[in-house]
Amino acid sequence: MVDYHAANQPYQYGPSSGGNGGGGGVGDYMAQEDDWDRDLLLDPAWEKQQRKTFTAWCNSHLRKAGTQIENIDEDFRDGLKLMLLLEVISGERLPKPERGKMRVHKINNVNKALDFIASKGVKLVSIGAEEIVDGNAKMTLGMIWTIILRFAIQDISVEETSAKEGLLLWCQRKTAPYKNVNVQNFHISWKDGLAFNALIHRHRPELIEYDKLRKDDPVTNLNNAFEVAEKYLDIPKMLDAEDIVNTARPDEKAIMTYVSSFYHAFSGAQKAETAANRICKVLAVNQENEHLMEDYEKLASDLLVWIRRTIPWLEDRVPQKTIQEMQQKLEDFRDYRRVHKPPKVQEKCQLEINFNTLQTKLRLSNRPAFMPSEGKMVSDINNSWQHLEQAEKGFEEWLLNVIRRLERLDHLAEKFGQKASIHEAWTDGKEAMLKQKDYETATLSDIKALIRKHEAFESDLAAHQDRVEQIAAIAQELNELDYYDSPSVNTRCQKICDQWDALGSLTHSRREALEKTEKQLETIDQLHLEYAKRAAPFNNWMESAMEDLQDMFIVHTIEEIEVQQLVPKRDDALLEEQSKQQSNERLRRQFASQANIVGPWIQTKMEEIGRISIEMNGTLEDQLNHLKQYEQSIVDYKPNLDLLEQQHQLIQEALIFDNKHTNYTMEHIRVGWEQLLTTIARTINEVENQILTRDAKGISQEQMQEFRASFNHFDKDHGGALGPEEFKACLISLGYDVENDRQGDAEFNRIMSVVDPNNSGIVTFQAFIDFMSRETTDTDTADQVIASFKVLAGDKNFITAEELRRELPPDQAEYCIARMAPYQGPDAAPGALDYKSFSTALYGESDL
């Protein structure tokens, strides 16, 4: 039972018991006050300091409720502001006060306040409601000091000490580095003002220029500390510098009250700083993840644009007209393979690495899995890439086939031109010859000679029939093979055929004319028979001479000479072709020799990488170092691939289409090389993510090896991933109830949604160890972030942009402001932002 009425007992105030910690309760140290302190209890200077300090302290809390006191003796007499003060500093509701003006109402209100103080474990002695209602200054100051002790000092705890001793130790720890500061008590240690300035500078160095303070100027020091505290720390001025300096021993209770405000201001700031640090850490994780998501989206978009732009080019199989144009197209394809595609292979590999790293970080930070935009999943990229490689697969073969066809066309066109030129040279002047009327003035012998000559021409004409047919056949083949210059070929062929027909007609007409003339001359010859008989020897001689002369004219002498000239040319062509084929064979052997080294080397490296990642020898760091050494050895091997590319280019330029000396084509080597680069990069990334997971979840090396052994046991094809059935078998072996029944299937489907959120149909080792260690991670939660925001918001259910900008770094403050929805609660204020929905959205529990 609290004694409120022992008014006649000697004046005492303060709790007689209670407290905690190794330093004793708040009542204990009161019992230790020495006689000198009690003798000076009524010192007017001390009372003045207490009145000012206690009033300022009360107002620092009452202003939160929109009110204040002017006179500490008078303004608590009705008990109303006293009850309000207790409600503000405790955060609890007191019984409803009585609003009457009568003394009994005031006493009842004060008693409610004193009862509340007693309920907090404070034993009040000699303080009664009547003294407070009567405006007893000493009793009122004593009561306020009791409240200060209980609510501002008692709960201070520093290194196993509490209350007064805890506050003193805190001051000593904070001011230890400062020269001319030696805090041993709460009176004379503070007279020169340096201790106050040191406390501020320790926590807010930008507010105090400590090195410029002088110990011999206490008033300036004190006023500087008081003004800075009021302006920047929201600590009201509770003391007067002159009062402290002019008092031999400043009032301990006033100093303690004021210093406790620093403790709470800075401990509150520390609490706010801790909350802000937690929020900053969470936001930093989210911002980094968002940057990774944005990078993934951009890289995926750019890669898809390139793929979609490239596929139509590879699928465009419309041949060019000339070998030169097709060879340029082949050169463009070489540039694509050597210059344009390799960086895209790296980008695709990096895209997968970024995606896997992001998903690992999201899992480790208790965030939902990342779902890329529609059409930009890793599977979508892979499908598009497969389409690209399918289009690419037959492109080079098509190019070479077209070049081979054009080469044949050029050969046929050249052959056509040669035969046509020979024929045209032969027919040159033949029409004019056949149109001659030389037989009209010829003698019978002339006619017979002309007939013999004509018969020789007819034989020659018949012999040329095959050439004309060959020319027509070549022209027909050029047309069928869609030769680009077919119109000119057709025109020339048609001219030859038309001329041939004309020559045939003219030959027939000349024969008829010669035969007719021969008959006419034979008749005349009969008439001159006698003359002929007499002139027979001469005529025979003449005819023989003429025949000999004519024979020299109609034989193929010139052509025979031309054939003799073509023989050495043909020999030269054969020698040139032999040299070309010998060179081609050297190129084949040269390429095959290099390819038969590079191909097996790539295959061996692929197998070795697989063994490293599966066997798991040594620590993860050992594996990572080993893999990076392999990666460097692969990079160092690149000149061998470049040499092979150069040899392949020489083979293509020589139009060599087969190579019996090797089973490796350049395309096989290229695909193997790309797979090797992708595999080593992906494997390194997997190990890096395993290290992230291990460190975040505290997995030991032994546990990691156990996880790997279990995984490898069910990874039958050693592909580095488990199919659904393999994973189910693994779970069953580990004791999970996922048997083939309704309940087991539901549980298995739930687990699969965790380990394979993107429905890829496989479970990677990374996802497996994430699942196996899912309960060991100590991560921030949405509730913890909400609690941190609540601290920054001063326990409000909302926060303002001003508070965010004050408590957080600029970029993170703006990040929150841009994403927080307006607060819609009943206690909403202008500009209020909803930090609760924002916090839950960070963890995927709702949408921003």
Side-chain angles (χ1 to χ4, degrees):
M1 182 72 180
V2 178
D3 181 9
Y4 295 143
H5 306 289
N8 296 324
Q9 295 182 12
Y11 172 65
Q12 301 175 31
Y13 62 89
S16 60
S17 64
N20 52 18
V26 290
D28 296 340
Y29 79 83
M30 289 300 297
Q32 298 167 7
E33 297 290 330
D34 53 37
D35 294 338
W36 183 71
D37 185 25
R38 285 194 295 272
D39 292 340
L40 295 175
L41 188 61
L42 303 180
D43 187 310
W46 284 17
E47 182 179 339
K48 178 182 179 183
Q49 291 175 20
Q50 286 185 18
R51 186 183 297 277
K52 179 177 180 59
T53 301
F54 292 177
T55 299
W57 183 88
C58 291
N59 284 334
S60 70
H61 294 287
L62 287 172
R63 66 181 178 180
K64 299 174 185 176
T67 187
Q68 64 178 13
I69 60 171
E70 298 292 339
N71 188 320
I72 200 168
D73 303 342
E74 296 295 327
D75 293 348
F76 286 135
R77 290 179 63 186
D78 61 6
L80 296 176
K81 288 187 178 179
L82 178 60
M83 294 180 70
L84 182 60
L85 173 66
L86 291 171
E87 287 188 346
V88 170
I89 61 178
S90 69
E92 300 179 26
R93 297 289 295 178
L94 270 68
K96 186 176 180 179
E98 299 179 13
R99 296 294 179 179
K101 300 296 184 180
M102 299 176 63
R103 177 178 174 82
V104 65
H105 297 140
K106 297 177 182 181
I107 290 175
N108 288 340
N109 287 339
V110 173
N111 273 327
K112 289 177 182 178
L114 296 177
D115 286 343
F116 179 79
I117 295 172
S119 71
K120 297 302 177 183
V122 178
K123 185 176 182 181
L124 295 168
V125 178
S126 301
I127 299 178
E130 290 83 354
E131 288 80 8
I132 305 301
V133 172
D134 291 339
N136 186 313
K138 299 294 187 296
M139 288 295 181
T140 302
L141 290 173
M143 177 190 65
I144 297 302
W145 174 239
T146 301
I147 293 172
I148 292 171
L149 282 176
R150 174 58 184 84
F151 293 101
I153 298 176
Q154 178 178 324
D155 291 335
I156 294 174
S157 178
V158 179
E159 298 183 14
E160 303 298 324
T161 63
S162 60
K164 176 182 177 181
E165 289 74 14
L167 183 60
L168 182 62
L169 181 59
W170 178 79
C171 295
Q172 291 169 341
R173 293 282 187 271
K174 295 298 181 181
T175 60
Y178 293 85
K179 63 181 181 179
N180 297 327
V181 177
N182 182 19
V183 177
Q184 296 297 324
N185 50 55
F186 287 109
H187 36 80
I188 58 175
S189 294
W190 303 82
K191 282 191 68 174
D192 60 14
L194 291 177
F196 289 113
N197 283 280
L199 276 182
I200 298 173
H201 185 269
R202 181 65 180 270
H203 295 91
R204 296 286 300 275
E206 76 279 10
L207 299 180
I208 298 287
E209 294 182 282
Y210 188 82
D211 291 339
K212 293 185 178 180
L213 300 176
R214 298 191 347 258
K215 187 175 179 66
D216 59 358
D217 191 3
V219 173
T220 299
N221 297 341
L222 288 166
N223 283 328
N224 182 66
F226 298 162
E227 290 167 5
V228 168
E230 186 170 38
K231 183 176 181 180
Y232 295 104
L233 304 178
D234 201 27
I235 298 175
K237 186 177 180 181
M238 300 183 186
L239 301 168
D240 282 325
E242 291 77 7
D243 291 345
I244 294 176
V245 172
N246 296 328
T247 304
R249 181 171 182 260
D251 180 60
E252 182 180 57
K253 299 177 180 60
I255 298 292
M256 281 181 65
T257 300
Y258 188 48
V259 171
S260 71
S261 297
F262 283 90
Y263 173 86
H264 290 293
F266 291 132
S267 65
Q270 182 64 39
K271 186 178 180 182
E273 182 179 352
T274 301
N277 287 340
R278 178 186 290 276
I279 291 170
C280 288
K281 175 185 173 185
V282 170
L283 294 179
V285 169
N286 258 67
Q287 287 174 302
E288 180 187 4
N289 290 342
E290 286 182 6
H291 288 153
L292 289 174
M293 293 175 191
E294 291 168 2
D295 290 345
Y296 175 90
E297 291 279 343
K298 184 178 186 308
L299 190 57
S301 296
D302 292 346
L303 187 57
L304 284 171
V305 167
W306 180 82
I307 292 173
R308 289 163 185 162
R309 186 177 65 243
T310 305
I311 287 176
W313 177 71
L314 291 171
E315 291 179 338
D316 178 14
R317 304 298 169 87
V318 178
Q320 302 300 314
K321 294 180 178 180
T322 67
I323 287 183
Q324 291 74 22
E325 290 174 313
M326 288 304 297
Q327 284 177 333
Q328 182 57 51
K329 205 170 180 70
L330 180 60
E331 189 61 34
D332 292 341
F333 180 72
R334 288 197 190 109
D335 285 343
Y336 157 79
R337 286 292 309 165
R338 294 183 187 178
V339 179
H340 302 297
K341 187 182 178 185
K344 299 303 176 183
V345 173
Q346 292 299 314
E347 287 180 18
K348 177 178 176 292
C349 180
Q350 192 61 47
L351 190 74
E352 295 179 10
I353 288 173
N354 290 355
F355 182 82
N356 293 333
T357 301
L358 174 59
Q359 298 294 45
T360 297
K361 289 185 175 182
L362 289 171
R363 284 192 292 266
L364 293 178
S365 59
N366 198 27
R367 305 301 200 279
F370 169 54
M371 294 296 291
S373 303
E374 186 175 357
K376 296 180 185 176
M377 296 284 293
V378 171
S379 57
D380 297 321
I381 304 294
N382 287 334
N383 290 337
S384 296
W385 192 264
Q386 289 175 4
H387 188 183
L388 173 77
E389 294 196 323
Q390 191 64 34
E392 177 188 318
K393 186 176 181 181
F395 189 70
E396 186 174 24
E397 182 180 355
W398 171 78
L399 285 172
L400 295 173
N401 286 337
V402 171
I403 290 174
R404 187 184 303 174
R405 184 178 67 82
L406 289 176
E407 185 186 39
R408 173 168 172 72
L409 285 174
D410 280 359
H411 173 71
L412 285 173
E414 184 178 356
K415 187 176 180 181
F416 172 85
Q418 289 174 347
K419 288 184 176 294
S421 296
I422 292 172
H423 177 79
E424 289 165 348
W426 180 84
T427 59
D428 185 37
K430 294 296 189 291
E431 287 190 30
M433 179 198 74
L434 292 172
K435 290 178 180 179
Q436 288 179 358
K437 302 293 184 178
D438 52 352
Y439 53 83
E440 292 179 349
T441 59
T443 63
L444 182 59
S445 60
D446 292 336
I447 288 299
K448 290 188 179 295
L450 289 174
I451 288 175
R452 284 194 298 273
K453 180 180 177 181
H454 189 72
E455 287 175 347
F457 174 77
E458 285 180 328
S459 297
D460 199 15
L461 186 68
H464 276 77
Q465 177 68 34
D466 286 343
R467 180 180 289 117
V468 174
E469 290 176 357
Q470 288 173 5
I471 290 172
I474 293 172
Q476 178 65 26
E477 188 173 1
L478 287 171
N479 276 279
E480 290 174 353
L481 294 176
D482 195 24
Y483 180 56
Y484 79 96
D485 201 19
S486 291
S488 64
V489 169
N490 292 338
T491 300
R492 192 174 183 184
C493 182
Q494 188 62 46
K495 183 179 178 181
I496 289 171
C497 291
D498 291 344
Q499 187 185 41
W500 186 255
D501 292 341
L503 286 175
S505 178
L506 288 171
T507 299
H508 179 72
S509 298
R510 184 173 175 81
R511 169 172 280 284
E512 288 180 343
L514 288 171
E515 288 177 347
K516 181 180 178 181
T517 302
E518 182 185 29
K519 287 180 180 180
Q520 290 173 348
L521 290 176
E522 282 177 348
T523 301
I524 295 171
D525 192 56
Q526 282 296 101
L527 296 174
H528 296 286
L529 180 59
E530 187 61 29
Y531 173 80
K533 287 179 179 180
R534 294 177 182 177
F538 177 78
N539 287 335
N540 287 337
W541 177 85
M542 286 295 291
E543 288 176 358
S544 177
M546 288 179 67
E547 286 177 359
D548 289 342
L549 291 172
Q550 288 173 346
D551 284 345
M552 289 295 291
F553 180 75
I554 66 174
V555 296
H556 302 295
T557 304
I558 295 174
E559 290 158 343
E560 290 172 0
I561 292 171
E562 289 175 349
V563 169
Q564 291 299 322
Q565 292 173 340
L566 287 174
V567 169
K569 291 182 180 178
R570 181 69 173 173
D571 290 341
D572 291 342
L574 287 172
L575 288 173
E576 183 180 348
E577 183 63 26
Q578 182 183 27
S579 176
K580 176 183 175 182
Q581 292 304 323
Q582 288 173 345
S583 175
N584 288 353
E585 184 65 11
R586 283 195 300 272
L587 290 175
R588 288 189 183 95
R589 290 181 181 277
Q590 191 177 46
F591 176 85
S593 176
Q594 184 72 2
N596 289 337
I597 294 172
V598 173
W601 184 89
I602 290 175
Q603 183 62 34
T604 299
K605 288 296 178 184
M606 288 284 286
E607 294 170 356
E608 289 174 351
I609 292 169
R611 283 199 299 271
I612 293 172
S613 61
I614 291 175
E615 292 174 358
M616 199 175 177
N617 293 324
T619 65
L620 289 175
E621 284 76 11
D622 293 337
Q623 294 177 55
L624 187 61
N625 291 333
H626 201 180
L627 287 168
K628 287 186 175 179
Q629 290 173 6
Y630 265 81
E631 184 179 40
Q632 188 58 49
S633 71
I634 291 169
V635 172
D636 294 342
Y637 198 77
K638 181 68 162 53
N640 295 279
L641 196 76
D642 295 337
L643 175 61
L644 199 61
E645 285 281 10
Q646 294 169 8
Q647 295 169 347
H648 177 66
Q649 182 170 348
L650 293 175
I651 280 181
Q652 286 190 330
E653 290 172 351
L655 297 176
I656 299 171
F657 301 105
D658 59 348
N659 194 339
K660 64 182 180 181
H661 304 296
T662 182
N663 292 324
Y664 292 101
T665 66
M666 194 65 232
E667 184 61 26
H668 290 149
I669 299 293
R670 288 170 184 156
V671 171
W673 180 257
E674 289 172 1
Q675 289 177 343
L676 180 62
L677 290 175
T678 300
T679 300
I680 186 66
R682 184 185 295 123
T683 306
I684 287 174
N685 176 247
E686 288 173 355
V687 175
E688 289 173 337
N689 286 340
Q690 290 170 25
I691 291 173
L692 281 176
T693 304
R694 180 202 64 190
D695 294 344
K697 299 191 173 186
I699 303 173
S700 67
Q701 181 66 21
E702 291 74 17
Q703 287 176 305
M704 189 66 75
Q705 289 175 337
E706 289 177 7
F707 292 156
R708 172 56 80 179
S710 298
F711 187 88
N712 289 348
H713 177 75
F714 292 94
D715 182 16
K716 301 300 183 184
D717 61 356
H718 304 294
L722 301 181
E725 293 304 316
E726 291 174 326
F727 182 55
K728 177 180 281 189
C730 182
L731 290 176
I732 292 173
S733 73
L734 294 171
Y736 285 86
D737 186 10
V738 290
E739 298 286 354
N740 291 323
D741 55 34
R742 189 170 183 179
Q743 183 176 353
D745 288 344
E747 175 64 8
F748 179 69
N749 291 335
R750 183 193 68 78
I751 294 174
M752 280 297 294
S753 69
V754 174
V755 297
D756 182 25
N758 299 309
N759 298 318
S760 63
I762 60 172
V763 180
T764 64
F765 180 64
Q766 180 63 47
F768 179 74
I769 59 175
D770 284 343
F771 172 74
M772 295 304 296
S773 57
R774 65 195 184 280
E775 296 180 355
T776 63
T777 311
D778 181 19
T779 59
D780 291 305
T781 65
D783 288 342
Q784 290 172 326
V785 177
I786 289 172
S788 297
F789 272 118
K790 193 177 183 73
V791 171
L792 300 189
D795 286 337
K796 301 191 300 293
N797 292 320
F798 59 85
I799 196 167
T800 65
E802 180 183 358
E803 289 169 330
L804 288 169
R805 291 189 177 105
R806 184 180 69 233
E807 301 291 350
L808 300 178
D811 62 325
Q812 295 187 327
E814 299 306 321
Y815 177 88
C816 294
I817 292 168
R819 289 163 174 76
M820 282 187 182
Y823 177 68
Q824 304 293 341
D827 53 340
L833 299 174
D834 188 351
Y835 60 77
K836 292 184 179 178
S837 62
F838 171 79
S839 301
T840 54
L842 292 177
Y843 293 85
E845 297 175 22
S846 65
D847 294 328
L848 282 173

